[in-house]
Amino acid sequence: MWRTRAAAACVICRSLANSSYGMKRKSPLQNLHLVSRSIRHPCYPSSKFQRPPLRISVQLFSSLNRLPLRKTKLLNVKYGYQFHRNFWLARLASRLLKLRYLILGSAVGGGYTAKKTYDQWKDMMPDLDEYKWIVPDFIWELDEHIDFEKLIKALPDADDLAKLLPDFDKIGESFTSLKGFFSPGSPGETVFRATDQGYDNDKQYKKVSDKEKVDQLQEELLRTQLKYQRMLERLEKENKELRKLVLQRDDKGIHQRKLKKSLIDMYSEVLDILSDYDASYNTQDHLPRVVVVGDQSAGKTSVLEMIAQARIFPRGSGEMMTRSPVKVTLSEGPHHVALFKDSSREFDLTKEEDLAALRNEIEIRMRNSVKEGCTVSTETISLSVKGPGLQRMVLVDLPGVISTVTSGMAPDTKETIFSISKAYMQNPNAIILCIQDGSVDAERSIVTDLVSQMDPQGKRTIFVLTKVDLAEKNVASPSRIQQIIEGKLFPMKALGYFAVVTGKGNSSESIESIKEYEEEFFQNSKLLKTCMLKAHQVTTKNLSLAVSDCFWKMVRESVEQQADAFKATRFNLETEWKNNYPRLRELDRNELFEKAKNEILDEVISLTQVTPKHWEEILQKTLWERVSTHVIENIYLPAAQTMNSGTFNTTVDIKLKQWTDKQLPNKAVEVAWETLQEEFSRFMTEQKGKEHDDIFDKLKQAVKEESIKRHKWNERAEDSLRVIQHNALEDRSISDKQQWDAAIHFMEETLQSRLKDTESVIEDMVGPDWKKRWLYWVGRTKEQNIRNETKNELEKLIKCNEEHAAYLANDEVTTVRKNLEARGVTVDPCLIKDTWHQIYRRYFLKTALNHCNLCRRGFYYYQRHFVDSELECNDIVLFWRIQRMLAITANTLRQQLTNTEVRRLEKNVKEVLEDFAEDNEKKVKLLTGKRVQLAEDLKKVREIQEKLEAFIEALHQEK
């Protein structure tokens, strides 16, 4: 079947190849069926189908011509598939393709025109980029930091909000009832109807007297006032709870952002810096603060606690509890907490455990601030209290004024309290909160006279009468309380007068119960009912509002003036610095300490740069100076008195073993430790030329002493050193002539040094010789003459017996004494023995030096173990062993120093510097001088001025 179709296709291909067309178009061969293209033509040898060349006409036609297509006559194929073409489909396709290109071109042209029009309109619009500053930057980035969908889900539903909101229907009913009280036809109309319609109903109102009408009216008004006051308090409480709930939900659902400090916190920081800078509170510090003063046990602390709404101060019955000024910064916050300025711990004031801990901490700080022999302190304790509903202000609670010094107090306690109170109150911008006990006679008050002296016009004084409940019970005439509140009883003036109740006599009562008791008392008090006291003059809440308003008013009036004063002070200090220290930077005490710290650490690091050769030379030299006396006196001299070499070596080995086990390692560690100290001290005290700053000398000396005091050598060092030294001393094999000569040289130097010392001792014993007596005109003392005669006699004894032992026998001492007595010299036997020790020592050292000379050529005999030789050089071997032990010990100690001890010393230095950095008193003591103090003052004044300016800017923004 496929063969038949292939043959038919070949015939068709040939007929098409031989035909020609008049118009320019593709060969029909290209439009053959796909099958014909895939057939291998037998007529062509090639495996691929090759198209024969077409014969086309030379005449060219335009593409716009519409020439009729000629019909092509195809040969009939008898077998296989018969090919068939439809030319009308091709014509239709070509028309559609032209239409598509027209549509596409129109779309492209229209798009280009639209884009050009859009660009023209865009160029005509103004550029709004310059006005982006109107909208804050965080608005553009708000969606990046806040998940609004999460926030919407976190917000309460409408039903929950309805529960949290107050009942407006009840509030409306209350206002309606109040309106109806004053309107005709109301239940309260009876009082007013008596005045309006008195002439019509005389018989009905004759039974009610005028006094009863007034009492009834006052009770109604007071009841209404208390009713709406409770309603207002309830609304405020609900508002606090709602805000607290929103803040808590914000903590959970919103990304935390760093909040700016509140206005009162900024102001409190300025006061804290001022308290450190100006401890004496002189005229430079005129920033406002509320100063709480009063007699002892007048209720100052209780008033402060009611304002802070927490029992935060230690209490005592009749005992002085406030021993130092306490600055309390009150501010509003979602949680009722307290924290100290220098601590990050927050005390939860809603928990009794935290309240007890806070009171205990305040008491401890007070007692620590009081110096030995004193009762009160001028050091200020700074405390911040935050909570819902607190009024923003800064209060300073001062020790209570006393009239008598009791036992247990310092004699100057009364004067000290007066001076502290005056120092705070003489600030012209300080608000004086004068606390007076209402339960005692007014004539017993001391503080009122003090306040009247500080503020005669009463322009910044607020008077507070405490314990009004007790005063109402005990005072026979209530008008006396009215006189106090009206300012007619005391010889002092005030901006305002307040009466409060701050307790029921029980220190365990909560603030809430005291507030309820205070409201209940004033609700039923005759002082309000009889109009002796006005409603705005009672309760600690009204007092807190009044004090806060007065405080902020004073702040706004005076803060800019104080900022200008500090600006002038800063200019004066900067001018003084430029005149005195023009080439030095203004480094305060902390910055100077950091600079000194870096220098000290650099000097400690210099210890690691000391060469090993230098360490070993110093260690070897110092160690030999320490042990040479023991080696010569206790090892070498006793061994040299023996008769033969075997006994000499045995004695030396025994004594060296004893010395190594007991003394040598300890002595070596002491030498290494002292060497480290000397090198460390040398680096610390070494002046660096022009760069040396003597202001650091005291600090460096203190750091050096404290670091050395703390440093302890590694305890295991002695054990390892003992083994190394023992092995070194056991080795007796000298390998070459160079080591032999080095040992002889070492022995000669040692013996010559000892001989020189012995000659000096003998010269001091016998006095100057004849040359010095003639040249310097000096003579001998009587004792020196006796010593000289004894010396001459003993020298004769040695000449007679050159192999004499180291000690004199008793009969020899007697012989020498008798010989001297025969010449008229009386000598004590002890003097003879003492002189003999030095004479024999000199003789022995000279003999040993001569022996060293002989042993210079003895290395050959040493290698043969001195066989067939009368020369014995065992003492050379001993000194070689000592010398080798010193070198190995010095190398071991050097390794311990560089690998361990220098690093441990560096660690100790860092610890000492860290301890000194935390101890401000230590820094003040070690870094002193006019330059340091001037830099400190300049830094503080700059900091105060900058914070004041930031506070003033925030204050203006709040307005």
Side-chain angles (χ1 to χ4, degrees):
M1 178 105 183
W2 281 104
R3 291 179 181 177
T4 307
R5 291 183 180 179
C10 291
V11 173
I12 294 170
C13 292
R14 290 176 182 174
S15 63
L16 289 174
N18 295 328
S19 62
S20 61
Y21 297 92
M23 65 178 298
K24 185 179 180 180
R25 57 185 178 89
K26 292 183 179 180
S27 172
L29 185 62
Q30 299 176 4
N31 295 326
L32 289 176
H33 196 268
L34 294 175
V35 174
S36 65
R37 295 187 183 183
S38 61
I39 296 173
R40 185 173 183 267
H41 293 263
C43 300
Y44 297 95
S46 176
S47 62
K48 292 184 180 180
F49 177 76
Q50 295 181 0
R51 180 184 300 171
L54 297 178
R55 292 177 295 176
I56 59 176
S57 177
V58 179
Q59 185 180 0
L60 299 175
F61 297 96
S62 172
S63 62
L64 298 176
N65 292 338
R66 298 291 184 266
L67 297 178
L69 297 174
R70 296 179 183 179
K71 295 182 179 179
T72 306
K73 294 181 180 180
L74 299 176
L75 294 176
N76 293 327
V77 182
K78 295 181 179 181
Y79 304 100
Y81 175 77
Q82 186 176 358
F83 186 78
H84 178 72
R85 288 199 297 183
N86 295 323
F87 290 100
W88 65 270
L89 291 177
R91 289 197 299 271
L92 179 62
S94 64
R95 301 294 191 277
L96 290 176
L97 288 175
K98 290 181 180 180
L99 181 63
R100 181 182 63 183
Y101 291 135
L102 289 175
I103 294 172
L104 181 61
S106 301
V108 171
Y112 174 74
T113 306
K115 183 177 182 302
K116 188 174 182 181
T117 306
Y118 169 74
D119 292 339
Q120 290 176 356
W121 277 91
K122 186 177 179 182
D123 295 337
M124 292 170 63
M125 294 293 291
D127 189 6
L128 298 178
D129 293 339
E130 299 178 357
Y131 302 95
K132 283 187 177 180
W133 61 269
I134 297 176
V135 181
D137 294 339
F138 73 91
I139 296 296
W140 305 106
E141 303 173 358
L142 201 60
D143 56 344
E144 298 178 5
H145 302 288
I146 299 179
D147 190 354
F148 287 100
E149 295 181 0
K150 193 174 182 181
L151 177 62
I152 293 171
K153 294 179 181 178
L155 289 175
D157 300 334
D159 298 336
D160 298 336
L161 286 174
K163 294 178 182 179
L164 295 174
L165 291 174
D167 193 350
F168 292 103
D169 296 335
K170 293 184 179 179
I171 295 174
E173 292 175 2
S174 302
F175 279 106
T176 305
S177 61
L178 179 63
K179 181 179 179 182
F181 178 80
F182 294 101
S183 63
S186 64
E189 186 182 4
T190 54
V191 180
F192 298 98
R193 192 180 298 171
T195 58
D196 297 336
Q197 303 175 359
Y199 296 102
D200 298 336
N201 303 316
D202 292 337
K203 293 182 181 181
Q204 184 179 356
Y205 291 99
K206 281 181 181 179
K207 298 179 182 180
V208 182
S209 62
D210 295 337
K211 185 177 181 181
E212 292 177 351
K213 293 177 183 178
V214 173
D215 293 341
Q216 187 179 3
L217 182 61
Q218 288 179 351
E219 288 179 2
E220 289 288 340
L221 289 174
L222 186 61
R223 196 178 302 112
T224 305
Q225 181 183 2
L226 293 175
K227 178 181 178 181
Y228 284 104
Q229 187 173 354
R230 290 196 195 96
M231 189 180 299
L232 183 62
E233 290 177 356
R234 182 173 61 83
L235 291 175
E236 288 180 351
K237 187 174 181 180
E238 291 176 355
N239 188 24
K240 290 178 187 177
E241 294 294 332
L242 183 60
R243 282 161 52 189
K244 185 176 180 180
L245 180 62
V246 172
L247 287 172
Q248 289 176 350
R249 288 182 178 272
D250 181 72
D251 291 340
K252 296 177 182 178
I254 303 179
H255 179 71
Q256 294 292 319
R257 297 187 300 273
K258 187 175 180 181
L259 301 177
K260 293 182 178 180
K261 291 183 179 179
S262 64
L263 203 60
I264 191 64
D265 290 335
M266 296 171 66
Y267 186 75
S268 179
E269 282 186 2
V270 176
L271 295 181
D272 288 335
I273 299 171
L274 271 173
S275 64
D276 296 336
Y277 167 65
D278 191 14
S280 61
Y281 286 97
N282 55 31
T283 55
Q284 291 180 349
D285 182 12
H286 288 167
L287 290 174
R289 53 174 64 79
V290 181
V291 180
V292 185
V293 295
D295 298 330
Q296 184 178 348
S297 302
K300 298 185 293 68
T301 302
S302 299
V303 171
L304 239 170
E305 289 180 338
M306 291 295 291
I307 295 175
Q309 299 183 13
R311 289 190 172 276
I312 58 178
F313 292 103
R315 315 181 72 82
S317 56
E319 182 184 356
M320 178 183 290
M321 299 305 298
T322 306
R323 297 179 177 271
S324 65
V326 181
K327 181 177 76 67
V328 182
T329 303
L330 299 180
S331 59
E332 192 175 10
H335 305 288
H336 204 185
V337 295
L339 66 158
F340 291 96
K341 175 188 72 173
D342 55 353
S343 175
S344 60
R345 179 187 176 183
E346 283 191 353
F347 297 88
D348 190 350
L349 301 183
T350 60
K351 298 180 180 179
E352 189 58 37
E353 300 83 13
D354 283 18
L355 279 171
L358 177 61
R359 290 192 291 266
N360 185 47
E361 180 68 20
I362 292 175
E363 186 174 2
I364 291 173
R365 287 175 179 254
M366 284 184 180
R367 296 189 181 278
N368 292 339
S369 66
V370 176
K371 298 179 181 179
E372 187 176 356
C374 299
T375 305
V376 293
S377 170
T378 58
E379 184 178 341
T380 305
I381 299 173
S382 183
L383 178 69
S384 296
V385 178
K386 298 182 180 181
L390 294 183
Q391 299 299 320
R392 301 179 303 170
M393 66 183 101
V394 177
L395 303 100
V396 181
D397 186 21
L398 300 180
V401 179
I402 61 175
S403 58
T404 306
V405 177
T406 59
S407 60
M409 293 184 179
D412 60 343
T413 302
K414 180 180 176 181
E415 290 76 15
T416 305
I417 294 175
F418 267 89
S419 63
I420 293 174
S421 302
K422 287 181 179 179
Y424 275 91
M425 288 190 293
Q426 71 184 3
N427 179 0
N429 297 320
I431 300 168
I432 303 172
L433 195 63
C434 180
I435 310 297
Q436 173 62 38
D437 189 352
S439 64
V440 299
D441 296 334
E443 291 77 12
R444 293 168 57 184
S445 176
I446 307 172
V447 71
T448 52
D449 294 335
L450 183 61
V451 173
S452 62
Q453 294 175 12
M454 297 292 104
D455 185 22
Q457 303 300 323
K459 295 182 179 180
R460 50 190 182 89
T461 301
I462 296 176
F463 183 86
V464 182
L465 186 66
T466 61
K467 305 178 184 178
V468 183
D469 53 342
L470 299 179
E472 188 179 24
K473 294 178 183 179
N474 300 333
V475 178
S477 176
S479 61
R480 190 172 178 85
I481 298 177
Q482 184 179 5
Q483 290 179 353
I484 295 175
I485 296 300
E486 291 178 354
K488 298 178 180 179
L489 188 61
F490 290 110
M492 60 170 287
K493 298 179 181 180
L495 284 172
Y497 297 84
F498 290 86
V500 297
V501 175
T502 57
K504 298 187 288 185
N506 186 3
S507 60
S508 61
E509 289 288 337
S510 65
I511 297 295
E512 294 296 330
S513 63
I514 295 174
K515 288 173 65 177
E516 292 176 0
Y517 172 73
E518 184 184 35
E519 293 173 2
E520 183 181 355
F521 167 75
F522 283 115
Q523 179 181 355
N524 302 322
S525 174
K526 295 179 181 179
L527 298 173
L528 275 180
K529 290 182 179 180
T530 57
C531 295
M532 291 184 182
L533 296 178
K534 298 179 182 179
H536 68 273
Q537 290 182 315
V538 297
T539 70
T540 51
K541 182 177 180 180
N542 292 333
L543 171 64
S544 177
L545 290 170
V547 173
S548 178
D549 291 341
C550 187
F551 169 75
W552 284 108
K553 181 181 178 183
M554 188 71 75
V555 167
R556 289 186 174 91
E557 291 176 353
S558 61
V559 67
E560 292 186 0
Q561 182 182 358
Q562 295 304 309
D564 293 338
F566 279 105
K567 188 175 182 180
T569 305
R570 173 180 175 176
F571 177 78
N572 296 335
L573 292 174
E574 287 177 346
T575 304
E576 184 179 357
W577 181 274
K578 290 178 182 177
N579 293 333
N580 293 327
Y581 312 103
R583 297 183 179 180
L584 294 177
R585 288 195 302 124
E586 302 160 1
L587 300 179
D588 61 4
R589 186 170 281 110
N590 291 331
E591 292 171 338
L592 286 172
F593 182 83
E594 289 299 321
K595 183 179 178 181
K597 177 181 177 181
N598 294 331
E599 287 188 8
I600 292 171
L601 292 177
D602 290 342
E603 290 162 358
V604 174
I605 292 176
S606 299
L607 284 174
T608 59
Q609 299 176 355
V610 177
T611 60
K613 182 179 179 181
H614 180 73
W615 279 120
E616 292 182 12
E617 287 178 355
I618 296 176
L619 289 169
Q620 189 170 351
K621 179 181 177 182
T622 308
L623 181 60
W624 177 238
E625 289 176 355
R626 295 292 181 86
V627 303
S628 59
T629 302
H630 180 84
V631 171
I632 299 298
E633 302 294 336
N634 299 331
I635 298 176
Y636 176 57
L637 288 178
Q641 304 302 318
T642 56
M643 301 301 295
N644 53 48
S645 60
T647 310
F648 177 88
N649 292 330
T650 302
T651 305
V652 165
D653 291 342
I654 293 173
K655 291 187 176 296
L656 286 177
K657 181 70 168 56
Q658 294 174 351
W659 183 44
T660 306
D661 292 340
K662 297 179 180 179
Q663 299 178 8
L664 182 58
N666 187 16
K667 188 67 68 175
V669 170
E670 288 180 3
V671 168
W673 176 217
E674 291 176 5
T675 303
L676 179 60
Q677 292 182 38
E678 291 174 359
E679 290 296 308
F680 179 51
S681 301
R682 181 173 65 84
F683 281 111
M684 291 285 286
T685 57
E686 187 178 11
Q687 296 187 359
K688 306 297 187 298
K690 294 182 179 180
E691 297 180 359
H692 178 72
D693 196 345
D694 56 358
I695 203 170
F696 300 143
D697 290 346
K698 291 174 66 177
L699 176 61
K700 290 182 177 181
Q701 183 67 22
V703 171
K704 182 192 74 173
E705 293 176 356
E706 185 66 22
S707 302
I708 291 174
K709 182 180 178 181
R710 294 186 184 184
H711 186 79
K712 292 182 179 179
W713 203 274
N714 190 1
E715 297 178 354
R716 299 180 180 179
E718 290 189 14
D719 298 334
S720 60
L721 196 61
R722 182 178 293 107
V723 175
I724 293 171
Q725 290 172 340
H726 183 72
N727 294 334
L729 288 173
E730 282 187 347
D731 187 9
R732 300 191 186 122
S733 58
I734 304 176
S735 59
D736 54 17
K737 183 69 166 57
Q738 185 179 0
Q739 294 183 4
W740 181 268
D741 293 338
I744 293 175
H745 179 69
F746 174 62
M747 181 177 176
E748 285 182 341
E749 282 187 348
T750 304
L751 296 180
Q752 286 175 357
S753 174
R754 293 291 165 179
L755 179 60
K756 185 177 179 181
D757 295 338
T758 304
E759 293 283 0
S760 178
V761 172
I762 293 174
E763 184 178 354
D764 292 338
M765 291 173 59
V766 302
D769 57 1
W770 65 271
K771 290 181 180 179
K772 291 183 179 180
R773 289 200 303 270
W774 279 97
L775 292 174
Y776 301 108
W777 292 83
V778 292
R780 290 173 176 169
T781 62
K782 182 179 179 180
E783 184 179 356
Q784 288 176 342
N785 285 323
I786 296 173
R787 292 269 189 182
N788 186 49
E789 293 293 335
T790 307
K791 183 199 76 163
N792 295 332
E793 190 67 25
L794 293 173
E795 286 177 349
K796 294 177 182 178
L797 184 61
I798 291 177
K799 287 180 181 180
C800 295
N801 184 10
E802 293 182 353
E803 297 181 358
H804 197 285
Y807 300 99
L808 283 175
N810 292 332
D811 55 348
E812 291 176 332
V813 173
T814 304
T815 303
V816 172
R817 183 172 58 82
K818 288 182 177 181
N819 292 338
L820 291 173
E821 288 178 354
R823 293 200 300 267
V825 180
T826 305
V827 183
D828 186 66
C830 293
L831 187 142
I832 297 173
K833 292 181 179 180
D834 188 24
T835 307
W836 167 257
H837 177 71
Q838 299 299 330
I839 299 300
Y840 182 80
R841 184 186 182 86
R842 182 176 64 180
Y843 168 74
F844 174 80
L845 292 173
K846 288 181 178 180
T847 306
L849 284 171
N850 294 330
H851 185 66
C852 282
N853 247 345
L854 296 175
C855 288
R856 287 186 183 278
R857 58 180 184 275
F859 181 69
Y860 171 75
Y861 299 105
Y862 164 76
Q863 289 179 324
R864 299 181 59 188
H865 304 288
F866 300 103
V867 177
D868 299 332
S869 173
E870 296 180 357
L871 183 65
E872 292 183 356
C873 299
N874 294 310
D875 48 358
I876 304 297
V877 177
L878 170 63
F879 276 91
W880 179 82
R881 294 165 68 183
I882 298 293
Q883 187 182 29
R884 186 168 180 273
M885 182 273 298
L886 291 174
I888 293 175
T889 303
N891 180 269
T892 305
L893 292 175
R894 190 265 305 167
Q895 292 179 5
Q896 291 179 0
L897 279 170
T898 55
N899 297 336
T900 307
E901 301 304 325
V902 171
R903 295 179 181 178
R904 292 179 64 232
L905 180 62
E906 182 180 358
K907 182 181 178 181
N908 290 337
V909 171
K910 290 181 179 179
E911 292 176 356
V912 171
L913 288 171
E914 289 176 359
D915 294 343
F916 283 7
E918 296 175 359
D919 192 347
N920 290 326
E921 294 182 359
K922 183 77 71 175
K923 287 192 286 188
V924 171
K925 182 180 178 182
L926 297 176
L927 293 173
T928 57
K930 180 182 177 181
R931 169 183 156 196
V932 181
Q933 192 60 42
L934 184 59
E936 281 285 310
D937 293 344
L938 191 54
K939 175 193 174 185
K940 291 288 185 182
V941 171
R942 280 177 178 166
E943 187 177 8
I944 293 169
Q945 184 199 354
E946 291 171 0
K947 289 188 177 293
L948 272 178
E949 290 177 353
F951 170 74
I952 292 170
E953 183 180 356
L955 187 65
H956 290 165
Q957 291 177 358
E958 190 182 58
K959 289 181 180 180

